[in-house]
Amino acid sequence: MLKLKLMVFILLLNCSLFAKENNSFESESKKNIKYLLNTNYESLLISKANLEAYYLNNNFKPYWINENGIKTIAISLLNRIKNDPVLKPHANKLFRLDEVDTTLNSLNTADSKYLENLIKIDLMLTELFDRYVTYLTKGSINWDAFEMKLSEREKEKEIKASWEKYTLNKNPKLLLKRVVEENDILTVFQEIDFNYPQADKLVSAIDELEKISSNGGYTKVPEFKSLRIGDISEFAPFLRKRLFESNDLNTTCQNSINAQNLVTNTIDTNATEEETAIKDDLIKNCENIFDEDLKNAVISFQKKHGLFADGIVGGQTLRFLNVTAKRKIAIIRLNLERMRWLPRNLGEKYLLVNIPEYKLRLYENNDIKLNMAVIVGDTKFPTPIFSDKVSYVVLNPNWNIPSSIAKNELIPKLLKNPNYLADNGIDIYAGWNGSVEKVDSKEVLDSAILQDVDNLQTFRFSQTSNKDNPLGKMKFMFPNKHSVYIHDTPGKSLFTYARRAFSHGCIRLSKPEELLSTIASEDKNLSIDKANEILSNDTITDKSIGLDKKIPIHIVYITSWVDENGVLQFRDDIYNFDKMQKELLF
């Protein structure tokens, strides 16, 4: 019993001593923080007023240190910043990490100013946290400068482009308090960082490309006119090596060549004896021959880059083949940055339209329920980039033709052919109010002849639902200031093209019936049977059906990503946004 009482006494004494030591550390820390903030501490990255607000919010207690020294969350913060996939090449400059590392490495417990130096590190880390959270939630780009570039382009080239960047509104001071309370920084960062499908695999792709770059990069393929199956060329070995490096070609050629792999385009009846001798010499090495395996490798590469997958190496394919690994890493980093301009919660069920890919996908609980080709805005009429919610569907829609299209395209046709509007089922109304009456095309012609632009803009041109209506049989609406939506189209032949930038900004669907059916299967307001009945009845036009469940839609501009099959993809920068934005980062 005596022994037990003695043990309890010793335990209580130790706890008391620890509490005194802990209280002493806390009070001394507070004193040092107040002193440094009021005197000689020079702010590293943020204003001293902002830094003081952090500590006022925490009763002037430190965040990143304790009586044992640097906390693990501090090391986690530094590692996260140093290895951030977007900021990594610029992290040292952006966060002045050399100064932080120097201060950390100079810590000496025997130094009389040890606690003061420890507090300085706490202040530094708080500044780093604030700057890093700002980059995660608001992005690393000078957005005002980007919008100014868009305005300049509109003035110079009459190209009106729009991009709405989502900014995550999170209070970094409250986030930091939560980090300390939970002793977990990575979970907080995970919640405020990008949530794009397969983003983690896109980050991993950087490591693979860095290995290639450090080993000398991709083999450069010399320029040539074109290469296809059956060709015998001194350039084929370069092509083989390059495609092997990107895992598109995983076989070696056989010296015994199958004659069926050589096609008639290798025979040149006008070739000189010397040229024939050179070709005969080349054919002795199978690497010089464009065989079936090489063709399949080219097709694999073309698919990864959104090219027409015909297995023929022309100028476009050659251009993509010679994009360096270093350049691809930069493109990936730019696209990871763009993912930070999107809502973090894309929705349990949502539509994603990637403009450079010309694709729409319907995601539900991270699974792809629908995947279809789309047509997007031409380079002169870029599809705007923003997020919204599909709220209703219109069946057998009329098309209220935008004033710009009416002015630039319809009026010239009307001047040439006064019956053009009647032939195409286009009516003219005196205004944009739905209740206004029709007007005769002669009045419009008179205004056009007189070049009365102001009067022309008051007319509304509307095409009834018919086989020539560019909206097809249905449109899916998410009312927005850009007046764009997704819709059916009678021009199905355009979907055979690899590059599908043909519209005036709206998005045309290759399989609208599938989208309608998929939405109807889970929305009580939309019956697919009733919808089909309306679609088959030409007398019912412009029938709107509100959705019970609004569906988030995200129109994005991503030129590099990892697809649902785990394949790294790259696409052409069709609107030149890569070029514009890379100069404005950081």
Side-chain angles (χ1 to χ4, degrees), residues 405-466:
I405 298 177
K407 174 189 169 186
N408 297 322
E409 297 180 28
L410 291 188
I411 297 299
K413 291 175 181 176
L414 183 59
L415 289 170
K416 287 182 180 180
N417 176 12
N419 296 318
Y420 177 81
L421 300 182
D423 293 343
N424 289 275
I426 299 173
D427 296 317
I428 310 170
Y429 296 87
W432 287 82
N433 187 310
S435 62
V436 296
E437 296 182 355
K438 292 181 185 180
V439 298
D440 192 276
S441 61
K442 186 179 183 303
E443 187 177 339
V444 178
L445 272 172
D446 291 341
S447 295
I449 292 167
L450 293 171
Q451 296 185 338
D452 187 354
V453 177
D454 291 336
N455 193 41
L456 276 173
Q457 289 179 339
T458 64
F459 296 116
R460 173 167 59 93
F461 294 76
S462 182
Q463 187 171 22
T464 56
S465 178
N466 58 47

Side-chain angles (χ1 to χ4, degrees), residues 211-258:
K211 288 176 188 175
I212 292 169
S213 187
S214 63
N215 289 327
Y218 289 125
T219 296
K220 183 174 175 58
V221 183
E223 287 191 21
F224 48 77
K225 190 174 180 181
S226 70
L227 280 179
R228 65 185 69 206
I229 189 166
D231 281 352
I232 302 165
S233 171
E234 60 188 316
F235 302 121
F238 293 95
L239 183 59
R240 284 181 179 279
K241 190 175 180 184
R242 169 63 186 83
L243 292 170
F244 183 81
E245 290 162 354
S246 55
N247 298 317
D248 293 291
L249 181 67
N250 53 21
T251 60
T252 56
C253 65
Q254 302 297 319
N255 279 320
S256 56
I257 299 299
N258 186 338

Side-chain angles (χ1 to χ4, degrees), residues 375-517:
I375 289 168
V376 302
D378 183 82
T379 52
K380 292 183 178 179
F381 307 100
T383 297
I385 296 145
F386 66 107
S387 294
D388 213 302
K389 288 186 177 181
V390 177
S391 56
Y392 68 98
V393 177
V394 181
L395 305 178
N396 294 335
N398 296 330
W399 181 37
N400 288 322
I401 302 168
S403 299
S404 58
I405 298 177
K407 174 189 169 186
N408 297 322
E409 297 180 28
L410 291 188
I411 297 299
K413 291 175 181 176
L414 183 59
L415 289 170
K416 287 182 180 180
N417 176 12
N419 296 318
Y420 177 81
L421 300 182
D423 293 343
N424 289 275
I426 299 173
D427 296 317
I428 310 170
Y429 296 87
W432 287 82
N433 187 310
S435 62
V436 296
E437 296 182 355
K438 292 181 185 180
V439 298
D440 192 276
S441 61
K442 186 179 183 303
E443 187 177 339
V444 178
L445 272 172
D446 291 341
S447 295
I449 292 167
L450 293 171
Q451 296 185 338
D452 187 354
V453 177
D454 291 336
N455 193 41
L456 276 173
Q457 289 179 339
T458 64
F459 296 116
R460 173 167 59 93
F461 294 76
S462 182
Q463 187 171 22
T464 56
S465 178
N466 58 47
K467 63 180 179 60
D468 298 317
N469 189 314
L471 303 186
K473 299 293 288 181
M474 63 193 78
K475 60 180 181 178
F476 303 82
M477 302 299 292
F478 39 102
N480 57 82
K481 67 181 182 181
H482 311 289
S483 299
V484 299
Y485 40 87
I486 55 180
H487 64 87
D488 183 18
T489 175
K492 302 296 185 185
S493 62
L494 294 178
F495 289 106
T496 60
Y497 290 86
R499 184 188 181 282
R500 297 187 294 275
F502 300 120
S503 83
H504 283 83
C506 285
I507 297 156
R508 305 175 195 171
L509 304 172
S510 59
K511 297 183 282 190
E513 300 85 358
E514 290 188 21
L515 179 57
L516 183 70
S517 178

Side-chain angles (χ1 to χ4, degrees), residues 79-89 91 132 136 193-194 333 340:
N79 288 337
R80 171 74 184 223
I81 291 172
K82 288 176 181 178
N83 295 296
D84 182 279
V86 176
L87 307 174
K88 190 175 181 178
Y132 188 55
L136 289 184
D193 207 352
F194 42 61
R333 288 201 159 107
R340 287 176 174 162

Side-chain angles (χ1 to χ4, degrees), residues 4 16 64 87 93 127 223 296 299 305 313 317 332 353 365 409 413 512 519 526 570:
L4 179 63
S16 175
W64 309 97
L87 307 174
K93 181 180 178 182
E127 291 192 68
E223 287 191 21
N296 290 334
I299 289 173
H305 295 79
V313 184
T317 301
I332 289 174
V353 179
N365 297 321
E409 297 180 28
K413 291 175 181 176
I519 294 174
L526 183 61
F570 289 91

